[in-house]
Amino acid sequence: MGSVRDLGTTGDTGPLPTDSAADRGPRRAEVAARPRPALDLRALFGMEHGPWAWTTAVQATVAMAASFGLAAWLFGPHIGTLAALGSMTVLYEKKTPYVYRSAALAVVGLGFVASVALGSLASALSVWAAAAAIGLIAGVSTWLCAAWRVDRPGALFFVMVGAISTIAPGGVSDVPQHAAVAALGAAVGWAVSMSGAPFRARRPEYRAVAAAFRQLAALLRAVGTPDLDHAQHRASVAVADAWRTVLLAQTRGYRSTTHAARLRSLLRWVSDIHLAVTQVGMVRTEPLPGEAAGFADRMAAAVAEPDRAPEASDLDDLRQGMRPRALEARVYGLLARAATAAHRPDRDEEDERARALEDQRYPALWDSLRSSLGTESLIRPTALRMGITVTLAGAFGLWIGLDRSYWIAITATAVLQGGNVVVTTKRSVQRSVGTMLGVAVGALVLWFDPPVSAVVVLAAAFMGLSQLVMGRSFLYGSVLVTPMALLLSHTAAPDPITALAGSRVLDTVVGSLFGLAGSLLLWRRASTARLPQAITDALDTARQCVVSVLDPEVPLGPEHRYQLRRDMRASLVNLRGVYESAVGDVPRAATTQPLWPVVVATQRAGYLALSALAVERAEPVGTITLQRVDLAFGELIASMRERRTPRMGALPRLAAYPRINMELRALSNAMAGAVAQDEHAARQEAERRALREEHRARGDVDADL
């Protein structure tokens, strides 16, 4: 891997940022602009950047048409709607390897069946029991989906399945039939989602590693620009997703094949290149040549097709004239070696990067559930907020006499998936407007009284179209999913079209208001309150990484090294996620905005610690230096926990890691600034409170006179 000095210096005399800036001395990269959740016309009615979900749209259309049509033919259209709902299993686990997806979708299908059984049973008892059952489904499914990392749509379709099952005709004796029909639909959804396995068995893994290379290219383009910190986070998320996806695919029969070895090798290359670019980004204040990012883009195309891999010699012009130990030269060298590895379709026995991954395929599910219930987890308040709000929304609808109060619960669930207040408000408006437009479309379709066969085709078409655009616009996705839901509900329990459309609009407005109220009133500051802990967790993990690298008396084995890298990356991703959620809390805590420089410095220190772990032969330091580094991290952690200014002494000189010292100093200064702003805000609040008390006292005196 090379000397430890490759990570922070270009020679023995101290740090040298780049060949082009050797005479300027070390400079800190500009801090990116703070994330600002938007709530304007463009955010509400515009399209977000990203690809169209063609594959998901086609699969959703086929699954619903097949399951709905088959169940309607076997059991009748009223019961057949439950199969259509069960087929929505096809919307889950779209990016995971097929071997894992097969088991995960089976669990999702069982969840759908349980939701149908619970909703059908509760509705046979009483309408109030049905409202409570829908709330229970919302809370439990939110908890399980978050704890087990089930990606969107998350709890939404569990709630929709359970809610619509409450209007299915029949009593207690019909519950087994309802559950069986839902199981049929879930099986069809499972089969459609797994249909690509015989033809493109390794496509999910290839896509994940290719996505990591594309985000690496975006990071290379962001070097020397204000977008660096944001691009760094996106690249880290992509690399973490690639690790998880490749790890889940390591079955006993597959992991010893040449294809698996090649993919593991490319994954390790993109991970190490990402950390090397981190070093360059924190040193360089000018953009890199565009050829480097283009080379990474070509590497993304070569993940699945070795013949498309670029030649290592394509980087010779960039490396020409550079010192071998320059940071940019290290990046270009790693890219060239990765291209050489990509050209080989077969395993290279001498390639250490092709060895097995040092981790378990499946995380401990019980441990995931237990940690999700901890006091520092965001999952617990999120699940409780969802369950309580959905239950109260459904009960309110029954109390005021709405005939289809289950739509209130479905809408509240969709709105609350936004997370923080700003995003929830945005989704509330989009859901209301989208539903009104969608109701007009659905009512027009129902006005012509289409036969069952046409209902099947139209419901499937609307379902596919909604999934095509949902990822880019919740508004337009709501416009398209509403006619599908109207067709299913009207088929399950026929009602006059005008009454159905009018109640759908009213229920949506009420559900949106309940979702917004739940976001404002229940655990509104959950993210803000957990942000300091997320910062200290990331700093503590960074301390473990740096101390483990520098300690000459404790050998750092491959398994321990991998665990530290995994934990460090997870802490950084969690830190950024908590902050982005916290800045959407309204009214925002006074400490959230000034903590952005603290978050950036913590993030950079963590990535530098990750880079240090990439070096296999670290240069040892003395015991006193090691203790001072540990004390510096400890003081920063204690200062964040106690919300005080750090009392930092002189940091020890780490010649091999000068940027870590720079970021620790920046972190200390950022903490001091945040504390000063907190104290200033507290003084202002005390002055306002005293002024209010003075006015109140003066008013009392005037009243007595």
Side-chain angles (χ1 to χ4, degrees), residues 321-383:
M322 299 188 71
R323 299 173 184 172
R325 293 180 182 238
L327 298 179
E328 293 90 337
R330 172 178 166 78
V331 171
Y332 301 150
L334 291 174
L335 281 169
R337 295 169 66 185
T340 302
H343 269 293
R344 294 193 295 266
D346 297 326
R347 175 180 176 179
D348 187 348
E349 295 294 340
E350 297 181 357
D351 186 2
E352 288 292 326
R353 297 168 183 274
R355 64 182 183 273
L357 303 177
E358 298 90 356
D359 205 347
Q360 300 177 354
R361 282 187 60 222
Y362 298 108
L365 298 182
W366 176 249
D367 291 343
S368 299
L369 292 179
R370 185 174 56 185
S371 62
S372 69
L373 297 176
T375 57
E376 300 303 329
S377 174
L378 276 174
I379 297 176
R380 185 178 66 174
T382 301

Side-chain angles (χ1 to χ4, degrees), residues 11 33 51 196 232 334 425 499 578 695:
Q232 178 68 269
L334 291 174
T425 304
V578 172
H695 288 165

Side-chain angles (χ1 to χ4, degrees), residues 33-358:
R34 180 173 59 85
R36 300 174 185 273
L39 191 59
D40 51 22
L41 291 178
R42 182 175 181 180
L44 291 173
F45 298 99
M47 285 279 192
E48 297 180 3
H49 296 291
W52 299 98
W54 288 106
T55 301
T56 302
V58 172
Q59 290 181 341
T61 302
V62 172
M64 178 165 287
S67 60
F68 194 4
L70 179 61
W73 177 61
L74 293 175
F75 306 102
H78 303 304
I79 303 299
T81 55
L82 296 176
L85 294 169
S87 70
M88 293 177 184
T89 52
V90 76
L91 303 178
Y92 291 81
E93 300 295 338
K94 299 183 291 292
K95 298 180 181 179
T96 51
Y98 285 110
V99 64
Y100 174 81
R101 189 185 306 183
S102 61
L105 285 182
V107 175
V108 171
L110 290 175
F112 279 3
V113 172
S115 298
V116 168
L118 181 58
S120 181
L121 177 61
S123 65
L125 299 177
S126 73
V127 291
W128 296 100
I134 296 172
L136 179 63
I137 293 170
V140 172
S141 59
T142 299
W143 168 46
L144 293 178
C145 288
W148 288 344
R149 298 181 63 179
V150 177
D151 202 0
R152 288 187 176 183
L156 176 60
F157 286 104
F158 289 93
V159 175
M160 181 178 290
V161 166
I164 296 183
S165 68
T166 61
I167 64 171
V172 175
S173 60
D174 296 303
V175 172
Q177 182 190 30
H178 294 172
V181 174
L184 172 64
V188 172
W190 183 95
V192 172
S193 183
M194 294 294 296
S195 60
F199 312 103
R200 298 179 296 179
R202 300 301 164 187
R203 188 167 184 264
E205 300 96 285
Y206 290 147
R207 290 184 64 183
V209 177
F213 272 107
R214 283 193 292 271
Q215 289 298 332
L216 174 65
L219 177 59
L220 286 165
R221 293 186 179 94
V223 170
T225 70
D227 192 49
L228 175 65
D229 292 304
H230 302 313
Q232 178 68 269
H233 171 68
R234 292 191 293 267
S236 185
V237 171
V239 171
D241 288 343
W243 274 98
R244 178 175 181 261
T245 302
V246 173
L247 185 65
L248 290 175
Q250 300 299 301
T251 56
R252 180 175 299 178
Y254 171 69
R255 62 176 173 238
S256 59
T257 63
T258 57
H259 292 89
R262 176 180 178 273
L263 201 60
R264 291 194 299 267
S265 177
L266 291 177
L267 175 61
R268 293 176 185 275
W269 279 119
V270 71
S271 181
D272 282 355
I273 296 170
H274 168 240
L275 298 180
V277 178
T278 296
Q279 291 283 333
V280 174
M282 294 185 190
V283 172
R284 188 180 177 103
T285 57
E286 300 175 355
L288 288 168
E291 292 83 355
F295 193 92
D297 280 328
R298 292 158 64 192
M299 282 294 301
V303 172
E305 302 178 46
D307 294 340
R308 299 181 62 181
E311 298 295 335
S313 58
D314 293 346
L315 295 172
D316 288 348
D317 291 341
L318 294 181
R319 291 189 287 178
Q320 186 175 5
M322 299 188 71
R323 299 173 184 172
R325 293 180 182 238
L327 298 179
E328 293 90 337
R330 172 178 166 78
V331 171
Y332 301 150
L334 291 174
L335 281 169
R337 295 169 66 185
T340 302
H343 269 293
R344 294 193 295 266
D346 297 326
R347 175 180 176 179
D348 187 348
E349 295 294 340
E350 297 181 357
D351 186 2
E352 288 292 326
R353 297 168 183 274
R355 64 182 183 273
L357 303 177
E358 298 90 356

